[in-house]
Amino acid sequence: MPDLQVDDLVEISVHGTALGGDAVGNLPDGRACFIPFALPGEKLRVRVKSLHAKHARAEIVDVLAPSPHRVEPQCPLYGSCGGCQYQHASYDEQLRLKTTQLLETLRRLGGVPVEKLDEVIAAPSAWNYRNRISLHPTETNRGLRYGYTSLNNQDILVVEKCPLAKDEVNAEIRKLGKSDYGRKNMRREAPRDVSIRWAPGSGTVCVFGSAPPNLPWRKEELAGLPYSVPAGSFSQVNPEVGALLFDLVRRWGAELPYARAVDAYCGAGFLGLALQGKPVFGIENDGPGIDAARVNAMQRGCAATHKYESGDAGKLLEAALRLQPENTLLILDPPRAGCSDRAIASIASRQPRWILYVSCEPSTLARDLKGLAAAGYKLSRAALLDMFPQTAHFETAVLMELGNN
């Protein structure tokens, strides 16, 4: 056939999905083709949008043979908004796709020989789960409004209601221009983004720009007990799945004969608080987060066992792992970029017996697991927790053991 060109229409069969949510098929010339909003098993007519040496991108023109798992999206902005990738798939299918992607990423990028996950933990609610959202300002014929970045990463789509956000968060969207801060933001030459946050013990707060240091801490709940988080510090956006992650760390930790734990990238103490009755040393470079971790430990009656230090994990890990590494459980919950090279080097040098690694980015997790495998660690358990339904993102927890066979 003639060489393919951009804007050509072709028929294509979908055989899988890639990390990030795009479906994957092959063009008539054999090149892999990435197609948003399609599902495995579908036959499509697509328009070629870009061509490269080994791959291409296309958009759906017609769904010739739909998947039985295709459903009607709930959001009118779906397909234009850049926030969601899977509203066209049933929730069971979303879990299946994410599970397949995680396994392939661990095997292909991490070199981890895993065929099956030990646990796949679904979200209790596939909608209305986010306790905070961030919106960008945009000028309209109705004045300054707020919305999400569009799929083209250029336009701002005005949002009246987000089906992923909790009702308390959505209720604030239409009030953004009515508060004193909202009117002040309208008068700025460069209006700021706004973050809307809700917590059961604090109600809803809207922050324009960065959170001021004097803003009261968010009063959340964790495993039925109070849990405080500074406004500018990291917290789980899906509290229900956050509680399931907390329980997973508790369960997995209870089965290990560790004597002490080191909780790197500990934030406000979230995961380390799941470990009770044994010493826990938390490391976090966010000073207010460390202050909150100490308060949270005190509220749970474990201030005597849970100690914290503010600083870079890469710098502090080596010293923290000197004591009884053969009996130490290391918890890692780094940001999306994963662990620093220095952190991996410290772990490889000190060699704590167990590592429980929690990640929101499978590709950097796989990269770090490859480095840990080179240091003698092997996978014991792996779990997927669907922290972000309707999107291509998810949380992963893996347990590695030194020299485990």
Side-chain angles (χ1 to χ4, degrees):
M1 64 174 293
D3 290 341
L4 285 170
Q5 303 292 325
V6 171
D7 287 333
D8 280 354
L9 295 178
V10 297
E11 292 187 6
I12 193 169
S13 295
V14 178
H15 57 71
T17 57
L19 201 62
D22 288 347
V24 184
N26 291 99
L27 293 175
D29 62 8
R31 271 180 285 193
C33 185
F34 298 93
I35 313 144
F37 314 122
L39 293 173
E42 293 188 325
K43 186 175 181 180
L44 312 169
R45 181 177 292 112
V46 302
R47 186 183 307 278
V48 177
K49 301 300 292 182
S50 65
L51 287 165
H52 306 275
K54 294 184 178 180
H55 70 277
R57 292 189 63 82
E59 65 180 12
I60 297 174
V61 174
D62 291 305
V63 180
L64 304 177
S67 163
H69 305 291
R70 179 172 283 275
V71 299
E72 190 67 23
Q74 288 197 18
C75 181
L77 298 180
Y78 186 65
S80 300
C81 175
C84 292
Q85 296 80 35
Y86 283 146
Q87 286 193 30
H88 62 288
S90 68
Y91 188 55
D92 286 346
E93 180 69 355
Q94 292 181 37
L95 287 177
R96 189 190 71 80
L97 295 176
K98 293 180 181 185
T99 298
T100 300
Q101 291 162 13
L102 176 56
L103 290 169
E104 289 180 350
T105 302
L106 292 177
R107 290 193 295 259
R108 182 171 53 85
L109 297 182
V112 179
V114 56
E115 298 300 324
K116 184 179 179 182
L117 300 178
D118 296 272
E119 300 183 45
V120 175
I121 299 176
S125 174
W127 303 95
N128 301 113
Y129 60 84
R130 288 192 67 98
N131 60 16
R132 72 176 187 270
I133 61 173
S134 293
L135 301 174
H136 309 293
T138 183
E139 287 290 348
T140 73
N141 56 10
R142 295 174 58 187
L144 188 70
R145 306 288 296 281
Y146 295 87
Y148 290 135
T149 304
S150 67
L151 198 62
N152 64 15
N153 288 320
Q154 297 176 358
D155 302 321
I156 302 298
L157 300 175
V158 173
V159 172
E160 302 287 349
K161 177 182 180 181
C162 176
L164 302 193
K166 288 187 173 293
D167 292 340
E168 295 85 350
V169 172
N170 277 320
E172 294 299 314
I173 296 177
R174 57 181 174 269
K175 303 177 185 177
L176 289 175
K178 300 177 182 179
S179 68
D180 290 341
Y181 284 107
R183 287 190 287 268
K184 180 179 179 181
N185 201 44
M186 289 180 183
R187 296 192 294 269
R188 289 191 174 100
E189 183 176 345
R192 298 173 180 173
D193 292 351
V194 61
S195 176
I196 307 174
R197 309 171 184 184
W198 174 82
S202 304
T204 311
V205 63
C206 299
V207 176
F208 294 86
S210 301
N214 61 345
L215 197 68
W217 289 0
R218 289 159 52 98
K219 297 179 180 178
E220 302 184 356
E221 290 182 0
L222 180 60
L225 294 172
Y227 180 70
S228 298
V229 184
S233 298
F234 173 79
S235 63
Q236 302 292 337
V237 300
N238 187 331
E240 289 77 20
V241 178
L244 295 173
L245 173 59
F246 183 86
D247 183 65
L248 179 145
V249 173
R250 179 194 62 77
R251 290 186 288 107
W252 287 12
E255 297 175 7
L256 301 176
Y258 69 95
R260 63 186 293 267
V262 173
D263 185 7
Y265 313 96
C266 69
F270 175 57
L271 295 181
L273 291 171
L275 307 177
Q276 299 284 312
K278 295 179 182 180
V280 175
F281 180 63
I283 300 168
E284 171 60 52
N285 62 7
D286 173 28
I290 285 293
D291 293 337
R294 295 187 177 112
V295 170
N296 289 325
M298 182 176 63
Q299 289 178 328
R300 283 167 168 69
C302 55
T305 54
H306 287 54
K307 304 298 180 183
Y308 301 93
E309 184 172 348
S310 177
D312 180 75
K315 296 179 180 179
L316 296 178
L317 258 180
E318 186 171 359
L321 294 174
R322 286 176 183 169
L323 180 64
Q324 299 180 347
E326 71 281 1
N327 293 316
T328 295
L329 166 62
L330 172 62
I331 298 177
L332 297 172
D333 188 10
R336 188 173 295 276
C339 294
S340 66
D341 291 342
R342 185 168 183 174
I344 295 295
S346 295
I347 297 167
S349 171
R350 295 300 177 185
Q351 296 199 317
R353 183 172 173 186
W354 301 278
I355 300 172
L356 202 168
Y357 194 139
V358 174
S359 171
C360 63
E361 177 46 64
S363 60
T364 56
L365 168 66
R367 178 204 66 201
D368 290 346
L369 293 187
K370 193 170 186 177
L372 294 172
Y377 288 91
K378 295 187 178 180
L379 185 73
S380 292
R381 307 178 77 167
L384 182 150
L385 301 98
D386 194 21
M387 190 76 73
F388 314 100
Q390 314 308 325
T391 81
H393 305 291
F394 51 86
E395 204 85 2
T396 304
V398 298
L399 180 66
M400 306 286 284
E401 185 172 353
L402 188 63
N404 177 38
N405 294 312

